[in-house]
Amino acid sequence: MQEPDGLMSIGVFARRVGLAPSALRFYDDCGLLAPARVDAATGYRHYAPEQEERAVLVRRLRDAGMPLPDASVVLDGSAEEARAVLRRHAERTRESARAAQEVIGELLGALPGGGDASCARLGGPELARAVRQVAAAVARGADLGRFPVLGCVLLELDGHEVRLAATDRYRLAVRTLRAFSSTGGPRHALVPSEELNEAVSWLLPRPEIGLELDGRRVLLHDGSQQRALSVRDEVFPSYRMLLDALPPVRHRIITAREPLAALLRAPSASASGEAVEAVCVQADSEGRLAVGDTELPAVCTGPAVRAHFDPRVLLPALEASVGPDVLLEISAADQPVVVRSADQGSFTTLVMPVHHRKEDRES
């Protein structure tokens, strides 16, 4: 019941907005939801009907796990500030839920009986193409001997997304596929790249296959036949942290993929007759692209930039892409460069530039 002046006691107001009286006292102490009046003699708090909307919003924000400082921005900040806070909190919540699901999935798999497997249904040819794209970035030679994990491809199942990732420390390739359907929680597995490459011919003629992970093996099946892949018990580099830490893109270059690849396959010789170990890629503010001494048609945005690449690293990234055009996203000449198929954003490669002469580095 309302009092004669239209205010409500803390108990009545608490019931109306779905908060406990103790929570209302706490929010008053925090400055988030002050009562309309406090009795000077008794200290009792009284609330006005027009405060209900704010109280309900406080309750919803807290139910969503939002910290008090962020909640106060949503309540009292500008619309732009509120949107930024809500988006950041949503991203944190998604990441926290994903991490929790991954840990729970691993713990369930470690219990006696192994827990339930996670399974995704997707196209065999699509998975085969993804394997070919990503496996091109695994380590070989001396690096593989020192870091065996770099000879593996990381498979991740997370809802309806299937991700493949591989790196040799100089390149990182990530391909995301959309599954037709999926069951089970998030799972991941490290599979030797040679086993995945051998499975490509098995995958290609099968329109739909099942991809099953249970923590101990990876199973490919089409209802009548199946193929098991071994799993390595090692820790793959945290590629998500690398992607999240990339600086903002300052330069974008779109050019035809094959002409650029052709220049990298046949690098020019230096004045001494020795093969060039690094090729210079530069774009100016007028939209012109030069690779070595050759100018290529391109669409360039951003200020002028110059970077050097090892052709043996950049070329496989171009060859693994699809479509006629390639997109280079550059933040700085000494930062990883994102190489994407211009018409397929689900495949991303990071390529490290190489240091050349000091005067060639971007100031």
Side-chain angles (χ1 to χ4, degrees):
M1 295 179 60
Q2 290 187 348
E3 298 177 7
D5 56 3
L7 300 182
M8 290 171 277
S9 69
I10 191 171
V12 172
F13 187 74
R15 288 191 293 273
R16 289 179 69 113
V17 300
L19 288 169
S22 59
L24 289 172
R25 297 186 188 98
F26 174 69
Y27 296 141
D28 179 17
D29 293 339
C30 294
L32 203 64
L33 182 60
R37 179 170 62 83
V38 179
D39 189 287
T42 63
Y44 290 165
R45 294 169 171 85
H46 302 270
Y47 294 83
E50 56 268 24
Q51 291 183 282
E52 290 184 28
E53 182 178 353
R54 183 181 179 93
V56 170
L57 182 54
V58 169
R59 188 198 72 213
R60 295 182 66 193
L61 291 171
R62 297 295 283 167
D63 286 346
M66 181 166 286
L68 285 175
D70 288 350
S72 66
V73 174
V74 175
L75 289 164
D76 300 317
S78 66
E80 183 178 349
E81 291 171 330
R83 276 192 292 268
V85 166
L86 289 168
R87 286 168 179 160
R88 284 198 302 270
H89 184 68
E91 181 60 32
R92 288 196 301 266
T93 301
R94 284 192 293 268
E95 183 61 26
S96 177
R98 186 201 64 79
Q101 288 177 335
E102 187 170 308
V103 170
I104 291 171
E106 291 176 354
L107 293 175
L108 286 171
L111 292 173
D116 295 330
S118 296
C119 185
R121 305 289 304 180
L122 64 163
E126 185 181 21
L127 180 57
R129 286 192 295 270
V131 168
R132 285 176 169 169
Q133 287 178 307
V134 171
V138 300
R140 293 171 177 80
D143 282 339
L144 181 56
R146 286 187 296 164
F147 307 104
V149 68
L150 301 184
C152 296
V153 173
L154 176 67
L155 293 179
E156 294 181 316
L157 268 62
D158 188 356
H160 278 61
E161 283 193 349
V162 178
R163 288 184 293 272
L164 296 85
T167 182
D168 62 0
R169 297 191 302 158
Y170 308 102
R171 287 173 296 166
L172 168 66
V174 181
R175 175 70 194 276
T176 302
L177 304 175
R178 185 72 178 173
F180 303 143
S181 63
S182 66
T183 57
R187 293 272 191 175
H188 68 270
L190 273 175
V191 180
S193 63
E194 61 269 19
E195 292 193 31
L196 274 174
N197 283 325
E198 291 170 0
V200 165
S201 59
W202 187 90
L203 291 167
L204 281 171
R206 291 169 165 81
E208 184 174 332
I209 59 97
L211 172 64
E212 188 173 312
L213 276 66
D214 66 3
R216 300 179 304 278
R217 66 174 183 173
V218 173
L219 191 65
L220 304 172
H221 54 83
D222 66 352
S224 60
Q225 297 183 31
Q226 63 182 30
R227 188 182 185 104
L229 307 176
S230 60
V231 172
R232 295 283 180 84
D233 186 18
E234 299 182 64
V235 178
F236 190 77
S238 182
Y239 75 91
R240 291 173 187 247
M241 292 181 62
L242 175 61
L243 293 174
D244 291 342
L246 289 175
V249 174
R250 297 183 61 209
H251 323 271
R252 286 183 171 84
I253 301 171
I254 300 176
T255 189
R257 184 168 62 93
E258 184 51 38
L260 176 57
L263 290 176
L264 298 176
R265 293 189 192 102
S268 59
S270 65
S272 62
E274 297 178 353
V276 175
E277 294 185 356
V279 62
C280 179
V281 175
Q282 53 187 337
D284 62 24
S285 56
E286 297 179 2
R288 291 175 297 202
L289 172 66
V291 181
D293 296 328
T294 304
E295 190 167 311
L296 292 177
V299 176
C300 307
T301 59
V305 63
R306 176 165 53 185
H308 290 85
F309 297 92
D310 183 339
R312 297 166 297 181
V313 176
L314 182 56
L315 178 59
L318 297 176
E319 293 177 332
S321 301
V322 297
D325 300 314
V326 65
L327 167 65
L328 305 181
E329 295 181 336
I330 304 174
S331 57
D334 59 351
Q335 294 294 320
V337 173
V338 177
V339 182
R340 304 184 195 273
S341 299
D343 57 354
Q344 188 184 82
S346 62
F347 176 60
T348 299
T349 306
L350 262 61
V351 175
M352 279 300 302
V354 296
H355 291 304
H356 205 244
R357 296 185 301 273
K358 183 177 181 180
E359 62 268 26
D360 284 340
R361 298 180 189 172
E362 183 185 39
S363 58

